[in-house]
Amino acid sequence: MDRADLSGDGGSPAAFDEGAQDPSRRAIPLGRQREASPTLVSDDEVETRFEPAVIEPGRALALADFSPPAVGTGERLVRWAYRMGLPPGALNPFRKRGRIRLTATVDNPLPGDPAIGKALRAGHFLLFGVRTAIADTEFTGAHLSPPMERLIHGFTWLSDLEAAGPRAQSTAVAERILSAWLTANPRPASGPAWNVGHVGHRLLAWMVHAPLILSGTDRKFRARALAAMAETARWLDRHATKADDKLDEVCAWTAITAAGLLFEDGHARRLFGEAGLIRALGDLVGDDGGLLSRSPLGQIEAIERIVLLKACYAAVRADPPAQLDTILTLLVPPLLAMLHGDGALGSWQGAGAIPAPRIETLIRASGVRTRPLRDARQWGYQRVSAMKSILQFDAAPPPLARHARTGCASTLAFEFSHAGERLIVNCGGGAMAGGLIPLRLAQGLRASAAHSTLVLDDTNSTAVLINGTLGAGVGTVEVDRRTMTADNGAGATRLEASHDGYVARYGLTHRRILILRDDGTELRGEDLLIASGRKGKRGTVGVALRFHLGPHIELAQGADGLGVTLSLPDGSLWQFRSGRDPVTIEESLWADGQGRPVGTRQLVVQAKIPRSGETFSWLLKKMR
C-alpha cells in the first residue's frame, strides 16, 4: 500500500536514511541481535544520507560502590556482635544508662506542602485531592488504600504540617494525631501499621521532625513517644530484611542508621545500619543508577531517603559513608531524564506529573549537579532533547514482579513535549489511587491502552494481574539508537525498538521507529507488526495505535480523515498525520501532579490486519 504524504503542508519533509548497512552501527545490548529494519523513507522522497554517530554509554557502577563502609577490626567486631543480637549495653557494660533521648535536632532539607499542612490543622488528611477527617480515620486494620496507608502509618504528613506555619501552632496537632495512632497501635503486630516500609518511613519521620512531636509540655506523652521510637528501632533491627521489596528495605535501613546516629549509645546500630543500607542499595539500583522497579516515584523515594539520612549525619557532625554520595550521584541523572520542559515528571510506571517545585527542591537538597541520563540500558527509558522538544521512550521490558509495586504494560510507549507543553502523554496515575482515582480505575491505568503505544485486540503486552502484580508478556526488547547528520548539516536522532509481548498469543513482534529532528519540530514514526513463526500466518487481528494528548489541547479534524490539527495552550499549531488509516478522536484522562484525573482526548488509528504483519506510519509536525 502506498504511503500517504506525511508532511502536513503539501511538501515532503527531509528523509532520514537509516544506513542499515553501515558497519559502525551499534545496538544497545538489551536483547538478542536483530536484523536491519525497514526505512521510513518513501519511494518518492528524496533520500538524504546521514552518518550514524556512536552514543556513549553512561557511567556504570563498580563493585566497590556497594561494599560495606570500611571500618577497623574493633568496629567490625562491634557490628558483628550487634547483628548477632547483642544489646548495645553489653558492648559497653560500665557506662551509666540514662533515659531515652535524642542527641541532636535535624534540619529538614525537604519541606512539605503547606496546603496539606493547613488541611491537617483544620482537622483533615488531604491525599490526591480528597479530604478525610482525622477524627474518622481508623489507625489500625486493613481499611485504607496503599497511598493512604503510607501517609497514615508512615507519618509522611509531618513535613507538610511543619511547612504550614510556626511550630507552636502545629505541635498540638502533631501530638494529637500521634497519640491517637499510639493508642490504636500500642505494640508491634501484624497489619499495615507494621509493614516494614511504613515503619521505616515512620521512624525516620519521627526523628527528623522530633521538635514537632516532642516540644509539648506533657512530659508523660514525650516519654511515651520516645519509648515508641526506641521500640520501633529495635523492631526494625530484626525485621528490615523481611520487607516486601528492596525499596522498603532501603527505607528500613535508612531509619536504622538514623536511629544509630541520633540515639545515645547508637554507635553499634549505626555500623549495623550502614552495612545493611549499602547492601540493600546494591540490590535496588541498576548499573546506570535507575531502580530495578523502573519507577520514577521509586527513584524519588530512594533519593529522599538518602537526603534525609545525610541530614541526620549533618546534625551530629559526622561524615556519611562515601558510597552514599556515589549512589546519590548515580540516582539523580535517571530521574532528570524523566522530566519534561516544564520541569515536571513524565507519566511512567503509575506516576503522575509530579510538579517541578518538588523535583527542584529534591535535586537541590541532593547537592548533585548533573545532566539527564539520555541512553539508559537497565533503567530503560531513552530520552532525546532537541531544542525545545523532549522525547521520552520506554525501550525496555516491564520490571520484574518482585521489584514492581504498580508496574505498567508500557513497553514502546512514548511521551513528547515542546516548550513546556505536553503533546503526547501516558495517562499515568496507576500508583496514585485512593483519592479521586478509584482503585479499580488505577488498575486500568496500568494497561497498555492507557499508554501511547500500539495495542493488539485491546490486550496488554504484559499481563497486569488482578492482585496488582505483572504476569507474562514482554521478555525481550531490542533497541538501537543513532544520531544522524545530513549533507546540509541538518540532524536527527533515530530510536528503534521491538518487543515480543504479543508473540505468544498472536505470533507478531511489535517494532517501533521514532525519528526526531534536531530542531524539535518534527517527530516521524513507524510501527511495524512482523510475523514470528507459524502463528503469524493465519487470521486477522485488531490493531489500535493510541496517542493520548496532553491537557487543554484543542483539536480540528482534517477533511480527508487522515490528519488532526492540535492547537496548544501556548498558541502553537501542530499536525498529526496518519500514513494509511483514518484518525479518530476518543476521550481519555491524564493524572496531574496531585493525583487528580484531568479529562483529555486521544488520537486513535485502528485497523484489522492479517497476522502476516503490517506497517503503520505517522507524523507529528509543528506548523506554527
Side-chain angles (χ1 to χ4, degrees):
M1 179 178 294
D2 292 335
R3 309 259 179 95
D5 174 32
L6 298 181
S7 65
D9 58 355
S12 294
F16 297 102
D17 183 88
E18 284 79 351
Q21 305 302 320
D22 195 312
S24 65
R25 179 178 187 172
R26 181 178 65 84
I28 299 173
L30 288 182
R32 61 186 183 276
Q33 293 297 315
R34 52 161 202 69
E35 298 176 351
S37 64
T39 175
L40 276 175
V41 179
S42 302
D43 294 336
D44 58 346
E45 290 182 311
V46 178
E47 294 192 2
T48 307
R49 181 163 298 279
F50 289 79
E51 296 299 329
V54 175
I55 302 299
E56 294 296 331
R59 189 271 201 204
L61 288 168
L63 184 61
D65 293 332
F66 293 134
S67 299
V71 295
T73 303
E75 290 187 324
R76 283 200 301 270
L77 179 61
V78 169
R79 186 169 63 194
W80 175 84
Y82 192 85
R83 187 169 63 246
M84 293 297 103
L86 198 63
L91 300 174
N92 191 358
F94 301 105
R95 182 169 182 174
K96 183 179 179 180
R97 303 297 156 199
R99 65 180 185 273
I100 302 169
R101 73 185 186 96
L102 298 176
T103 60
T105 299
V106 180
D107 184 12
N108 176 28
L110 300 174
D113 187 334
I116 299 177
K118 291 177 181 178
L120 286 163
R121 289 173 55 181
H124 297 86
F125 290 113
L126 178 61
L127 178 69
F128 300 147
V130 173
R131 294 176 182 267
T132 302
I134 296 173
D136 297 336
T137 301
E138 295 187 36
F139 292 99
T140 187
H143 307 291
L144 305 172
S145 66
M148 194 66 176
E149 285 182 358
R150 181 55 56 92
L151 176 71
I152 299 297
H153 299 305
F155 280 73
T156 57
W157 51 267
L158 279 172
S159 62
D160 303 315
L161 183 60
E162 184 182 65
R167 183 187 302 165
Q169 299 177 9
S170 302
T171 297
V173 177
E175 290 183 350
R176 185 166 61 251
I177 299 175
L178 176 57
S179 178
W181 189 93
L182 291 174
T183 299
N185 301 276
R187 61 186 60 85
S190 59
W194 295 96
N195 170 281
V196 171
H198 298 343
V199 177
H201 276 268
R202 179 165 71 243
L203 179 59
L204 188 56
W206 282 350
M207 290 184 291
V208 170
H209 302 287
L212 199 59
I213 58 178
L214 299 177
S215 296
T217 58
D218 189 339
R219 294 185 177 181
K220 289 185 178 180
F221 174 80
R222 189 160 59 247
R224 181 188 182 195
L226 284 168
M229 290 184 191
E231 182 180 35
T232 301
R234 290 192 296 269
W235 187 91
L236 270 183
D237 288 342
R238 302 188 302 271
H239 294 85
T241 57
K242 300 176 183 178
D244 293 339
D245 56 43
K246 284 298 175 180
L247 182 54
D248 276 354
E249 184 177 338
V250 165
C251 292
W253 286 116
T254 55
I256 290 170
T257 306
L261 289 164
L262 297 175
F263 277 124
E264 277 193 326
D265 296 327
H267 182 63
R269 175 178 278 141
R270 170 188 168 181
L271 295 174
F272 171 67
E274 287 174 343
L277 174 59
I278 301 303
R279 185 169 53 249
L281 284 168
D283 295 333
L284 176 73
V285 181
D287 289 345
D288 51 22
L291 268 61
L292 298 183
S293 66
R294 304 193 63 232
S295 167
L297 292 179
Q299 200 84 5
I300 290 173
E301 186 175 334
I303 296 173
E304 287 177 341
R305 297 302 97 191
I306 297 177
V307 166
L308 290 174
L309 179 58
K310 289 186 66 178
C312 296
Y313 279 98
V316 298
R317 299 181 181 179
D319 293 326
Q323 292 93 330
L324 286 185
D325 286 326
T326 300
I327 295 169
L328 193 59
T329 301
L330 289 163
L331 285 171
V332 171
L335 177 62
L336 294 179
M338 310 315 297
L339 305 183
H340 284 286
D342 57 1
L345 195 67
S347 302
W348 298 102
Q349 295 299 316
I354 303 299
R358 179 181 171 187
I359 303 293
E360 291 171 357
T361 299
L362 178 62
I363 301 304
R364 185 165 53 249
S366 74
V368 177
R369 299 294 179 265
T370 185
R371 295 181 178 181
L373 182 66
R374 63 171 185 170
D375 186 10
R377 302 185 180 213
Q378 289 187 330
W379 181 236
Y381 299 104
Q382 296 287 324
R383 173 189 173 94
V384 182
S385 180
M387 298 297 286
K388 296 181 180 180
S389 294
I390 293 175
L391 171 67
Q392 299 173 0
F393 185 37
D394 184 355
L400 297 177
R402 66 177 180 270
H403 298 305
R405 293 178 179 174
T406 54
C408 297
S410 59
T411 310
L412 302 197
F414 75 96
E415 291 200 336
F416 181 72
S417 63
H418 179 81
E421 297 288 346
R422 301 186 185 214
L423 282 81
I424 307 297
V425 300
N426 301 309
C427 293
M432 307 176 87
L436 295 175
I437 297 178
L439 288 171
R440 291 180 64 87
L441 175 59
Q443 183 84 349
L445 293 176
R446 297 167 58 198
S448 296
H451 297 80
S452 294
T453 187
L454 177 147
V455 182
L456 292 183
D457 268 354
D458 289 327
T459 60
N460 295 324
S461 56
T462 295
V464 180
L465 305 181
I466 193 66
N467 63 359
T469 62
L470 295 176
V474 177
T476 300
V477 173
E478 300 168 357
V479 60
D480 177 77
R481 174 174 179 149
R482 290 179 290 151
T483 57
M484 303 179 291
T485 305
D487 296 336
N488 62 2
T493 298
R494 179 185 184 279
L495 296 172
E496 177 182 346
S498 63
H499 76 73
D500 59 355
Y502 291 121
V503 170
R505 180 175 296 186
Y506 300 104
L508 292 169
T509 295
H510 176 206
R511 178 177 294 169
R512 169 163 275 182
I513 301 169
L514 300 175
I515 297 177
L516 178 61
R517 294 179 65 94
D518 285 351
D519 61 8
T521 61
E522 181 181 290
L523 176 64
R524 182 182 288 264
E526 188 167 27
D527 287 276
L528 303 93
L529 290 168
I530 303 168
S532 176
R534 296 181 179 178
K535 293 184 179 180
K537 300 301 183 182
R538 297 180 180 178
T540 61
V541 62
V543 178
L545 275 73
R546 299 187 178 275
F547 302 86
H548 298 271
L549 302 177
H552 315 305
I553 295 178
E554 297 182 4
L555 305 178
Q557 186 92 44
D560 61 0
L562 297 177
V564 177
T565 299
L566 287 64
S567 177
L568 273 59
D570 65 359
S572 61
L573 287 179
W574 290 70
Q575 187 177 62
F576 178 90
R577 294 284 298 175
S578 170
R580 50 159 287 162
D581 294 290
V583 183
T584 59
I585 301 172
E586 299 182 5
E587 297 297 318
S588 182
L589 65 84
W590 175 75
D592 69 6
Q594 305 300 323
R596 299 169 299 197
V598 177
T600 61
R601 287 176 286 183
Q602 58 178 308
L603 306 180
V604 184
V605 178
Q606 292 181 300
K608 278 281 189 181
I609 66 162
R611 295 202 182 192
S612 57
E614 190 54 273
T615 299
F616 300 85
S617 56
W618 49 268
L619 176 73
L620 182 63
K621 184 173 182 178
K622 190 174 188 293
M623 309 302 295
R624 185 182 70 193

